[in-house]
Amino acid sequence: MDYSKESVRHQATVKTEVAGELTLNYYEAAPAAGEAGETLGGGLPLVMLHGGGPGASAWSNFGRALPHFAARFRTLLVDQPGFGGSDKPPVVGNFYRFAADAVVALLDELGIERVHLLGNSLGGGTAMRLALSHPDRVGRLILMGPGGLSLNLFHADPTEGVQRLMDFGADPTREKLRAFISTMVVDQSLVTDELVEERFADATAPGAQEAMRSMGMSFWNPETAEDGMLWREAHRLRKHTLLTWGREDRVNPLDGAMVALKLIPRASLHVFPNCGHWAQIEAAEEFAEVATAFLARHRERSKP
């Protein structure tokens, strides 16, 4: 398979699968038979979980990173519930647990026993919850500025990025979406008119606004918010965990990594300079190299 950036979207397989009571959309690509990806990382597939901003989806977050990872691992980019082409039901309980259970149901449907997980922001929280609730289903974790695990020691809450996300939710305009996206990156040339239009279309698609509000309320409602405070459970995680952060992250700032780094027994931290919340885009080459090397150190074979 040709994994050039120009052709990968056409060659990745787009699929939907009933996962429990939900239908999830995902993209899948893998190394050709006999290539190194069949044994790299213990032979486990890699599931990538996107962030939660307006118009976010598996493809918008990780589409450009897929060529590198799919050349080495069977890789699945999953639209979390409420995003992209997946169902957009009301969230039951806290979103992280709701989405983690949906991902596990998807793995069950696909007959996949164990995976490595890579999650950005909201997807990092989902990955963390999945690893805590279903440790037997997870090999290694890569968390990029993860939600729930990030505990800001010096920055105010809500952070600048979260405040701009809330501003868009209250009044969804292209201008407010552009203001939000501008907090994602240091390099403002990445905030193109094409990107704004693509994300705006997804963010205002039928059901998208309602899903965003339901997701957001799961972190504000006192009955469900505490379940999303994953930093309180970080000491229970026994997986090898790579925390990755953009030094200039304005959504989940770098000081939020310190508690997780201290509490997770097998955690390490890699910081990308001159980089915001989208390390997989803004520091694409270095991110891919660091992430691949970390996953490759996993030697345990997946069970048949």
Side-chain angles (χ1 to χ4, degrees):
M1 181 181 288
D2 176 10
Y3 285 104
S4 67
K5 293 181 179 180
E6 293 77 14
S7 64
V8 68
R9 185 161 193 172
H10 299 289
Q11 300 200 36
T13 303
V14 185
K15 303 179 180 180
T16 59
E17 191 73 44
V18 176
E21 298 180 356
L22 305 179
T23 298
L24 297 185
N25 182 73
Y26 65 100
Y27 301 82
E28 180 175 355
E35 292 186 358
E38 293 193 342
T39 56
L40 198 65
L44 299 183
L46 171 64
V47 171
M48 304 173 80
L49 299 171
H50 60 82
S57 67
W59 191 262
S60 68
N61 266 202
F62 294 119
R64 281 184 281 180
L66 183 60
H68 178 93
F69 289 99
R72 294 158 176 82
F73 307 91
R74 178 187 178 187
T75 305
L76 291 82
L77 315 184
V78 179
D79 284 335
Q80 297 192 77
F83 294 90
S86 291
D87 283 351
K88 299 173 174 57
V91 174
V92 178
N94 182 266
F95 180 84
Y96 294 142
R97 192 177 297 274
F98 182 69
D101 288 346
V103 173
V104 169
L106 174 63
L107 297 180
D108 288 343
E109 289 294 329
L110 297 176
I112 299 174
E113 184 175 355
R114 299 181 70 227
V115 297
H116 298 305
L117 290 174
L118 191 161
N120 169 233
S121 196
L122 183 77
T126 298
M128 176 73 172
R129 173 54 72 196
L130 198 161
L132 288 169
S133 299
H134 306 276
D136 58 319
R137 308 300 294 267
V138 178
R140 289 190 171 214
L141 281 176
I142 300 175
L143 306 175
M144 304 168 54
L149 191 57
S150 174
L151 183 62
N152 298 327
L153 301 178
F154 304 115
H155 285 78
D157 285 315
T159 62
E160 179 186 4
V162 173
Q163 183 60 58
R164 292 192 180 186
L165 184 153
M166 295 165 62
D167 291 344
F168 177 84
D171 181 22
T173 66
R174 288 175 173 81
E175 291 73 22
K176 290 187 176 180
L177 180 57
R178 182 181 291 274
F180 167 74
I181 295 174
S182 72
T183 67
M184 299 292 105
V185 292
V186 173
D187 181 1
Q188 293 299 300
S189 70
L190 295 171
V191 188
T192 63
D193 292 342
E194 180 183 6
L195 176 61
V196 172
E197 287 300 318
E198 180 180 314
R199 297 274 300 222
F200 188 77
D202 288 342
T204 55
Q209 288 293 295
E210 293 80 1
M212 181 72 71
R213 283 191 288 270
S214 183
M215 180 270 290
M217 284 305 300
S218 80
F219 296 108
W220 290 98
N221 185 333
E223 295 182 0
T224 58
E226 288 191 14
D227 193 39
M229 298 178 184
L230 299 174
W231 54 270
R232 302 192 308 181
E233 303 178 56
H235 66 282
R236 297 199 295 110
L237 185 65
R238 293 295 184 267
K239 302 298 179 182
H240 287 284
T241 302
L242 175 63
L243 304 169
T244 66
W245 240 274
R247 189 181 63 193
E248 285 73 37
D249 194 326
R250 293 152 67 187
V251 181
N252 290 334
L254 178 57
D255 59 286
M258 297 301 105
V259 170
L261 183 62
K262 178 71 173 180
L263 291 178
I264 298 174
R266 294 179 174 179
S268 57
L269 172 65
H270 186 94
V271 179
F272 301 94
N274 303 312
C275 179
H277 196 55
W278 283 349
Q280 79 280 11
I281 293 173
E282 198 164 22
E285 184 174 345
E286 183 180 356
F287 173 77
E289 291 174 353
V290 169
T292 300
F294 172 76
L295 295 175
R297 288 195 291 272
H298 187 82
R299 302 302 181 190
E300 182 181 355
R301 296 287 300 178
S302 59
K303 298 177 182 179

